[in-house]
Amino acid sequence: MERKKIHLEFLLNATSKGILWTAISTPTGLEGWFADRVQLEDKTVTFFWGKAEKRDAEVVAVRVYSFIRFRWLDDQNEREFFELKMTNNELTNDFVLEITDFAAADEVADLRELWESQVDTLRRTCGF
């Protein structure tokens, strides 16, 4: 089945790059909006949802205060990843959270909806 690369952008009324960076790059930050529990060991991150769901990802690239890129270890295509990137809008001094992910062609709408829901939780949790 064909896979599509998805790029989403969310304007956040964030004034602290430190708060946003912590939210997208640390286990504690990710637990606030992305997963119920997050464990980091070396470059392997384990995400837990509910009591039964768990997935392992590898941190494949990171640039502090810029982006973090993960690759699911159970993905068949080693070139696929999901990335959380923060950029600063110089006019408003707000931050934009850019998310890149991959999905099957028939799951693109569901994935967009999932990320929108997750980012809404991020906004509430961090006060963005």
Side-chain angles (χ1 to χ4, degrees):
M1 178 169 283
E2 182 185 354
R3 306 273 297 167
K4 298 223 180 245
K5 185 177 186 178
I6 301 160
H7 182 83
L8 305 167
E9 292 187 6
F10 299 93
L11 181 64
L12 302 176
N13 297 323
T15 54
S16 170
K17 72 178 183 180
I19 293 171
L20 180 55
W21 179 248
T22 298
I24 68 173
S25 68
T26 67
T28 303
L30 289 163
E31 285 175 355
W33 66 281
F34 183 75
D36 295 330
R37 194 162 55 94
V38 180
Q39 292 178 335
L40 173 65
E41 188 171 318
D42 295 323
K43 287 190 169 208
T44 302
V45 184
T46 304
F47 297 96
F48 298 88
W49 295 274
K51 294 183 180 186
E53 190 176 352
K54 147 186 154 164
R55 255 184 118 183
D56 292 321
E58 174 187 15
V59 176
V60 293
V62 63
R63 181 176 300 142
V64 177
Y65 297 115
S66 181
F67 74 92
I68 185 162
R69 181 179 293 177
F70 301 91
R71 187 183 71 75
W72 295 116
L73 295 180
D74 59 0
D75 265 356
Q76 296 165 351
N77 186 341
E78 292 188 13
R79 300 176 86 182
E80 290 187 6
F81 58 89
F82 75 97
E83 180 178 87
L84 306 172
K85 180 178 182 180
M86 55 187 271
T87 56
N88 186 260
N89 180 322
E90 294 179 15
L91 290 175
T92 63
N93 207 29
D94 290 329
F95 286 94
V96 175
L97 177 62
E98 297 179 39
I99 298 172
T100 303
D101 202 350
F102 291 80
D106 62 345
E107 296 176 353
V108 168
D110 291 340
L111 186 64
R112 284 182 189 277
E113 206 172 285
L114 175 64
W115 277 116
E116 287 169 2
S117 172
Q118 298 296 92
V119 172
D120 282 346
T121 302
L122 171 66
R123 285 186 170 114
R124 283 192 311 276
T125 304
C126 295
F128 297 149

